[in-house]
């Protein structure tokens, strides 16, 4: 399927591994030029090298995307941005009684204000060009709260509210903004959450993983490849009528009719 976005430029944040990398790879396969970022230079360079094999231009910017300097470095490297995929590491798990104001501010900065700042930065030029695609990687926890991820539930719900209104405001300019909500996917983040379950319950990592997979109708974790290709579709020419949606990729884990 030709996604109709060959030659466009995408910024994919937090993309040296996991879901961000999956999105970058699917966009590279669609012929999109990329600016990717992550904090660790070595893994970022490795990712950029793999992506260049698809024949597109790939710039790698080592930075913390949750900082103003990081956001500026990425945007400067890109020039005009046709496609923006917002992503950053998720807040740590814990218990409601552990979190104080600073923990919430940190989570809101990383998982709400960072994507909002990136969206604000790219929107004017997308509106002028009468074309743009923005996908925010959020979480299933937006629709179906996970108590130990209270910081994530809170910050991502705020971003979701912002996207709901803003996406409808800019839709008339050909700019399409949506959220992509991962359930459990087989990435380093899942390993770290498996480790939490294994330690809390005194079970092995395999047992922890099997226990979590058993809660999902597909009985397995999602893959970055499935996730990335869904993201690429949401950035395609065919996504022009999809506005302000929250697309859940959770293997059916959320039990609801709609
Ligand atoms: P991952 O496998 O741990 O990969 C995270 C990627 O983001 C790495 O490339 C990492 O590289 C980069 N990164 C993290 N923080 C960054 C920052 N501040 N600035 C720049 N780059 C940064 O994580 P993932 O599983 O792909 O998760 C991506 C997002 O989806 C997270 O917000 C996570 O909470 C959410 N999510 C994941 C799942 C899941 O099951 N995997 C489920 C629900 C939600 P460096 O460490 O080198 O910076």
């Amino acid at each position: 399927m030709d996604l109709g976005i060959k030659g466009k430029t995408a910024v994919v944040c937090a993309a040296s591994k996991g879901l961000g990398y999956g999105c970058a790879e699917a966009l590279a396969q669609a012929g999109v030029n990329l600016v990717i970022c992550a904090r660790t230079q070595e893994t970022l360079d490795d990712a950029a090298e793999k992506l260049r094999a698809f024949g597109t231009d790939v710039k790698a910017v080592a930075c913390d995307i949750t900082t103003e300097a990081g956001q500026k470095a990425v945007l400067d490297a890109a020039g005009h941005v046709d496609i923006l995929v917002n992503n950053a590491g998720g807040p740590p798990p814990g218990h409601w009684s552990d979190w104080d104001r600073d923990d919430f501010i940190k989570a809101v900065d990383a998982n709400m204000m960072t994507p909002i700042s990136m969206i604000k930065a790219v929107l004017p030029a997308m509106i002028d060009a009468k074309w743009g695609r923005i996908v925010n990687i959020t979480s299933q926890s937006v629709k179906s709260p996970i108590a130990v991820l209270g910081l994530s539930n809170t910050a991502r719900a705020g971003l979701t509210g912002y996207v709901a209104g803003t996406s409808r405001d800019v839709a008339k300019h050909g700019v399409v903004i949506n959220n992509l909500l991962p359930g459990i996917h087989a990435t380093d983040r899942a390993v770290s959450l498996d480790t939490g379950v294994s330690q809390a319950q005194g079970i092995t990592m395999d047992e922890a993983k099997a226990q979590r997979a058993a809660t999902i109708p597909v009985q397995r974790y999602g893959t970055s490849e499935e996730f990335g290709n869904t993201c690429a579709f949401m950035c395609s020419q065919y996504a022009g009528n999809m506005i302000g949606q929250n697309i859940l990729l959770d293997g059916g884990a959320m039990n609801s009719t709609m």
Side-chain angles (χ1 to χ4, degrees), residues 4-169:
I5 48 179
K6 192 170 187 222
K8 295 212 181 274
T9 297
V11 165
V12 186
C13 305
S16 65
K17 291 190 279 182
L19 304 179
Y21 180 81
C23 296
E25 186 176 72
L27 288 168
Q29 282 168 343
V32 173
N33 299 316
L34 296 168
V35 176
I36 60 168
C37 78
R39 294 162 301 182
T40 314
Q41 185 86 55
E42 198 182 341
T43 36
L44 180 67
D45 288 344
D46 289 349
E49 208 45 48
K50 277 198 281 171
L51 293 167
R52 287 187 190 108
F54 296 103
T56 54
D57 185 49
V58 181
K59 291 181 185 146
V61 180
C63 68
D64 182 340
I65 195 64
T66 67
T67 64
E68 272 182 42
Q71 291 157 26
K72 183 174 183 317
V74 167
L75 292 167
D76 285 352
H80 179 74
V81 178
D82 301 293
I83 295 167
L84 168 65
V85 180
N86 276 315
N87 185 31
H95 187 252
W96 63 265
S97 56
D98 300 337
W99 302 315
D100 58 24
R101 179 181 161 77
D102 284 349
D103 297 309
F104 282 102
I105 297 293
K106 214 184 277 178
V108 164
D109 253 342
N111 299 108
M112 179 180 142
M113 284 317 303
T114 294
I116 289 176
S117 299
M118 292 295 284
I119 291 170
K120 278 192 72 183
V122 300
L123 269 183
M126 285 183 175
I127 288 170
D128 282 350
K130 301 229 158 293
W131 200 94
R133 298 285 185 265
I134 301 176
V135 174
N136 304 295
I137 299 179
T138 63
S139 173
Q140 65 179 354
S141 70
V142 170
K143 282 186 185 253
S144 181
I146 303 167
V148 294
L149 295 179
L151 294 172
S152 169
N153 301 340
T154 306
R156 297 186 201 276
L159 173 63
T160 305
Y162 173 83
V163 167
T166 307
S167 61
R168 287 166 172 87
D169 196 6

